[in-house]
């Protein structure tokens, strides 16, 4: 577990490595719990169900992190390729990316909420497995701007 990295601050900071660190921390515990109880018992079923939910959550988050809206690209000679369809407008691409980051942040926060019961265990990345408030620095700056505009204060994160 790499605990030398900076704390996560935004949904845009979450990487696939973060997801698999969570998986590598929790999955062996669930496997041990499942193996320690005979099939058919509530404990066995609970551990199996949680392991399946963990796998599903990590894979869904990984998919969302890998997904990127289509962006124009250039071929090796620097020319734009000929397209047989019109690319979406920039506003649509921004909205899609914002929606993707919303999903990542919400699912990450749900995963971290479930992990909190292990926060006193060795290997728990206390500085990284935290709920996130914003998708990126621009979203935080916009929130702060609106708070200032309305004369509202905001408690700064430590």
């Amino acid at each position: 577990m790499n605990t030398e990295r900076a704390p996560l601050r935004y949904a845009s900071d979450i990487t696939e490595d973060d997801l698999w660190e969570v998986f590598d921390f929790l999955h062996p515990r669930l496997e041990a719990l499942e193996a320690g109880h005979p099939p058919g018992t509530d404990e066995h079923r609970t551990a199996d169900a949680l392991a399946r939910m963990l796998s599903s959550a990590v894979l869904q988050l990984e998919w969302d992190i890998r997904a990127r809206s289509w962006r124009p690209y250039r071929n090796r000679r620097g020319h734009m390729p000929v397209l047989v369809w019109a690319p979406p407008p920039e506003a649509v691409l921004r909205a899609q990316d914002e929606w993707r980051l919303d999903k990542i942040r919400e699912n990450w926060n749900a995963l971290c909420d479930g992990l909190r019961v292990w926060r006193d265990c060795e290997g728990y990345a206390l500085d990284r497995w935290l709920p996130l408030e914003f998708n990126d620095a621009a979203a935080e700056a916009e929130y702060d701007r609106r708070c200032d505009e309305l004369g509202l204060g905001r408690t700064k994160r430590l």
Side-chain angles (χ1 to χ4, degrees):
M1 189 109 9
N2 185 354
T3 57
E4 296 175 15
R5 295 183 293 166
L8 290 173
R9 205 173 150 123
Y10 306 114
S12 58
D13 296 336
I14 299 170
T15 66
E16 292 175 44
D17 287 342
D18 293 311
L19 304 176
W20 291 108
E21 284 176 3
V22 168
F23 184 87
D24 291 342
F25 172 80
L26 188 53
H27 197 260
R29 288 168 166 78
L30 296 173
E31 282 183 326
L33 181 61
E34 185 179 2
H37 296 280
T41 62
D42 281 345
E43 293 85 354
H44 188 273
R45 288 179 179 150
T46 300
D48 182 44
L50 288 173
R52 290 169 188 253
M53 287 189 276
L54 174 65
S55 296
S56 178
V58 167
L59 290 172
Q60 181 60 56
L61 271 162
E62 183 180 52
W63 174 264
D64 291 334
I65 287 170
R66 286 181 179 182
R68 296 286 186 266
S69 298
W70 181 88
R71 295 282 194 251
Y73 63 93
R74 298 190 180 276
N75 63 21
R76 281 185 276 178
R77 294 187 180 137
H79 301 290
M80 294 290 287
V82 175
L83 300 174
V84 294
W85 56 278
E90 189 62 32
V92 170
L93 295 174
R94 279 193 308 273
Q96 288 173 343
D97 201 46
E98 187 67 23
W99 179 74
R100 180 185 68 83
L101 287 172
D102 280 340
K103 279 178 44 180
I104 290 170
R105 183 176 45 81
E106 290 166 6
N107 289 327
W108 174 259
N109 288 350
L111 190 59
C112 288
D113 187 48
L115 279 173
R116 277 192 326 200
V117 298
W118 282 279
R119 68 182 170 273
D120 60 340
C121 295
E122 185 178 332
Y124 186 92
L126 195 58
D127 60 336
R128 289 190 64 83
W129 298 345
L130 301 168
L132 304 173
E133 296 180 61
F134 300 101
N135 291 346
D136 54 24
E140 183 176 26
E142 176 63 15
Y143 180 83
D144 288 339
R145 186 193 65 73
R146 287 183 181 178
C147 285
D148 289 344
E149 188 177 277
L150 296 170
L152 303 172
R154 175 165 87 94
T155 305
K156 296 288 183 185
R157 286 178 66 171
L158 300 177

